[in-house]
């Protein structure tokens, strides 16, 4: 009896043990071999279709067998010897070497050409009955029980093609359940190009949309296809159809999903195919990180069926794929922005984080994305930074004013609005990082949050009282000193300013750099080290009647002045959403007390 040509100990027990966690893939390997065989016969013999190209899978519970039958090119006895007995194991030594030297738990079976032998993960014996398409070929029968000996003799098969029979072992009886097998086939084989049946019932009926030319696909085709891939999800917002033949092969459709509240950013959902055979749900490394939120399907024969992570990271083709995908996505966004502005704007809230992360992670992406990185201002108009800078360069001295919260207290924002200053809204969690990045790129442009500084633009210097008193102090300085003395918080600075509004008594300025640091730390879930503290400035408005009244109480009713100062301070914190929750109850109590006093005075 001939023996399997392999120098090291028999590999089969290792395959069995090692791949235990993902036994399903034997189905994928056998079906994809059958597909390969059908592809080949189609190419070799244009008349081959006289015997229908098909794959039939059957379960025989009594015999405890699973058979995979194809009408592909078949094998001669010599070919079985060469491709199954020898070739399959030529990679085995390499495989074993890797297995022994490396603890990596990734599957490399397909990569090392051991696809066929994955059958031994679930079977105690495998037989092959095959008839080659070649004129005058004799059928061949091969059998091996997983030891290093095999049997090869004349077979029975009378129709061109190959029949592979798995004698399922005790531990793997589940694979004799039709439902179990159907599920695996649905996952891996739904888009295969030849009809596949399980126990006589057709499994696959779908032409994958990605193989069609984009010009032949309608909007509805894309939506239907998405619904097929992600049955329970909302419709996507738009998509990119990829179709490359050089320098690598890649087809696919990537969809921008609707970002819902429970959207899982960490979970990649792009399905990877290799010649229509499903490979995995994880496209890590093939798609740049920032596009991980996209959905859809990628199909490339240049990605081996089974590959280890470290292999992917090194691979040049994979890197090219990744940068090509990024470019295509950027081009699509750019076209959309230029030709379908309204659609683009409506989709912005779903795509902005993806775009912004792309800018932060990939310089090349930034170069493309700067054209369509848009911002909404408080009047709900949209602008790019370039347009903003162009328009306001002189007047704002290269500053870009923004707010993280367009629902900040109206009187405060009105200060800017009344001066006709354009304020952009930036409220995603990546904006702080993005602004740091853009400031580097676009120097001398700087971003200034409206509550980050008392900008000259919101002052009314004409009403400023610059007269000095006997101590050489202006009124403003005296007011500031007074409020400073009334405030219990020692670290808070106080400034008095002549603001261009009478209705806003005071507001809080939080140093821009300090705040960015805080945002940054909050993102990485750390808190600001104590020493840093928030550098806060309490700005009181010298044109506010309330401020003057409190100031006027300084001799008459010092107690009340102190209380009112605290109240105005907390009111500012509250309206800028900076009031700590712990402080709220004291604030509410005091507000109630004030109202009671007011009521007493009136009654
Ligand atoms: P790979 O598919 O990567 O070549 P496999 O171990 O899956 O590695 O298969 C080894 C070889 O056996 C194939 O290349 C092919 O020549 C032959 N083979 C396997 N299954 C079939 C089949 N159903 N029909 C014809 N040839 C097959
Ligand atoms: Mg194979």
């Amino acid at each position: 009896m001939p023996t399997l040509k392999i120098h090291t100990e028999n590999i089969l027990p290792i395959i069995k043990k090692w791949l235990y966690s993902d036994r399903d893939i034997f189905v994928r390997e056998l079906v994809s071999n059958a597909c390969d065989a059908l592809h080949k016969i189609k190419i070799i013999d244009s008349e081959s279709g006289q015997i229908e190209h098909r794959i039939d899978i059957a379960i025989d519970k009594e015999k405890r067998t699973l058979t995979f039958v194809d009408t592909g090119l078949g094998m001669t006895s010599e070919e079985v010897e060469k491709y199954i007995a020898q070739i399959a194991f030529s990679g085995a030594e390499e495989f074993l070497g890797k297995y022994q030297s490396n603890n990596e738990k990734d599957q490399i079976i397909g990569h090392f050409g051991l696809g066929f032998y994955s059958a031994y993960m679930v079977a105690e014996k495998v037989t092959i009955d095959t008839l080659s398409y070649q004129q005058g070929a004799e059928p061949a029968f091969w059998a091996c029980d997983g030891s290093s000996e095999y049997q090869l003799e004349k077979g029975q098969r009378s129709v061109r093609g190959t029949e592979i029979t798995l004698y399922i072992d005790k531990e793997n009886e589940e694979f004799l359940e039709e439902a179990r097998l159907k599920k695996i086939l649905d996952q891996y084989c739904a888009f295969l190009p030849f009809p596949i049946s399980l126990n006589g019932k057709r499994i696959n009926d779908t032409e994958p949309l990605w193989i069609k030319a984009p010009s032949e696909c309608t909007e509805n085709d894309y939506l239907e296809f998405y619904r097929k891939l992600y049955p329970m999800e909302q419709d996507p917002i738009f998509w990119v159809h990829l179709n490359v033949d050089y320098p690598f092969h890649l087809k696919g459709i990537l969809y921008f999903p609707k970002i819902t509240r429970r959207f899982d950013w960490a979970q990649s959902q792009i399905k990877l195919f290799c010649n229509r055979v499903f490979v995995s749900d994880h496209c890590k490394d093939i798609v740049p990180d920032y596009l991980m939120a996209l959905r859809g399907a990628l199909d490339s024969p240049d990605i081996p069926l089974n590959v280890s992570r470290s292999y992917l990271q090194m691979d040049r083709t994979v890197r090219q794929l990744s940068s090509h995908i990024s470019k295509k996505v950027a081009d699509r966004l750019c076209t959309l922005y230029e030709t379908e502005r309204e659609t683009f704007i409506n989709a912005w809230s779903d795509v902005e984080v993806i775009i912004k992360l792309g800018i932060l992670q990939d310089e090349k992406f930034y170069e493309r994305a700067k054209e369509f990185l848009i911002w909404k201002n408080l009047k709900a108009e949209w602008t790019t930074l370039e347009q903003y800078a162009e328009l306001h360069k002189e007047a704002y001295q290269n500053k870009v004013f923004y707010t993280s919260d367009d629902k900040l207290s109206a009187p405060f924002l009105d200060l800017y609005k009344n001066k006709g200053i354009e304020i952009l809204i930036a409220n995603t969690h990546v904006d702080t990082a993005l602004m740091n990045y853009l400031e580097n790129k676009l120097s001398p442009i700087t971003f200034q949050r409206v509550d980050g500084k008392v900008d000259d633009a919101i002052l009314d210097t004409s009403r400023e009282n610059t007269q000095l008193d006997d101590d050489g102090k202006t009124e403003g300085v005296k007011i500031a000193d007074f409020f400073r003395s009334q405030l219990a918080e020692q670290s808070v600075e106080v400034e008095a300013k002549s603001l261009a509004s009478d209705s806003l008594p005071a507001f809080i300025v939080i140093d821009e750099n300090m705040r960015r640091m805080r945002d940054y730390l909050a993102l990485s879930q750390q808190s600001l080290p104590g020493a840093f503290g928030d550098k806060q400035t309490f700005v009181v408005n010298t044109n506010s009647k309330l401020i003057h009244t409190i100031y006027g109480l300084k001799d008459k009713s010092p107690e009340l002045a102190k209380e009112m100062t605290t109240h105005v301070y907390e009111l500012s914190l509250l309206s800028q959403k900076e009031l700590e929750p712990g402080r709220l109850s004291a604030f509410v109590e005091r507000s109630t007390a004030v109202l009671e006093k007011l009521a007493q005075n009136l009654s």
Side-chain angles (χ1 to χ4, degrees), residues 28-34 36 109-110 113-118 305:
R28 178 188 76 189
E29 295 296 335
L30 294 181
V31 174
S32 76
N33 280 352
D36 290 347
I109 282 230
L114 290 167
F116 167 75
Y117 280 90
S118 62
L305 264 190

Side-chain angles (χ1 to χ4, degrees), residues 331-360:
D331 288 349
R332 174 80 177 101
L333 288 166
C334 199
T335 316
L336 202 65
Y337 176 68
E338 261 147 31
T339 60
E340 293 171 61
R341 185 71 50 98
E342 213 176 297
T343 313
F344 186 86
I345 285 172
N346 287 335
W348 182 250
S349 61
D350 286 306
V351 300
E352 68 175 320
V353 171
I354 297 173
I355 292 174
K356 287 171 179 179
L357 287 174
I359 291 175
L360 288 170

Side-chain angles (χ1 to χ4, degrees), residues 36 99 113 145 160 184-185 197 205 208 212 238 249 337 373 465 473 503 558 583:
D36 290 347
Y99 172 69
D145 64 2
R160 180 198 72 210
I184 303 174
L185 287 166
S197 302
D205 62 349
K212 282 204 190 170
F238 48 79
H249 296 276
Y337 176 68
L373 173 65
N465 186 348
K473 288 183 172 171
S503 53
R583 246 183 125 139

Side-chain angles (χ1 to χ4, degrees), residues 400-404 423-424 426 435 447-450 512 515:
V400 177
F401 292 103
Y402 74 99
T403 174
S404 308
I423 300 176
L424 305 182
M435 287 173 188
F447 286 85
Q448 187 179 311
R449 202 165 89 162
V450 287
E512 176 91 16
R515 203 210 76 250

Side-chain angles (χ1 to χ4, degrees), residues 191 210 225 229-230 242 251-255 270-273 295-299:
F191 297 116
W210 68 76
F225 186 62
L229 290 178
Y230 308 98
L242 304 157
K251 286 190 164 68
I253 302 170
L254 291 179
Y255 291 91
I270 301 171
K271 294 175 196 289
L272 186 62
F273 293 80
R295 301 245 172 101
L298 294 175
D299 187 352

Side-chain angles (χ1 to χ4, degrees), residues 10 200 202 213 296 373:
N10 198 344
R202 182 74 183 262
L373 173 65

Side-chain angles (χ1 to χ4, degrees), residues 402-404 408 412-413 416 448-454 507-512 515 518 537 576-578:
Y402 74 99
T403 174
S404 308
L408 269 189
F412 182 60
L413 290 179
Y416 286 85
Q448 187 179 311
R449 202 165 89 162
V450 287
D451 57 354
K453 195 175 168 230
V454 187
F507 64 91
I508 310 285
V509 164
I510 298 161
D511 180 73
E512 176 91 16
R515 203 210 76 250
R518 189 179 70 179
T537 309
Q576 285 168 250
K577 304 200 174 154
E578 292 283 343

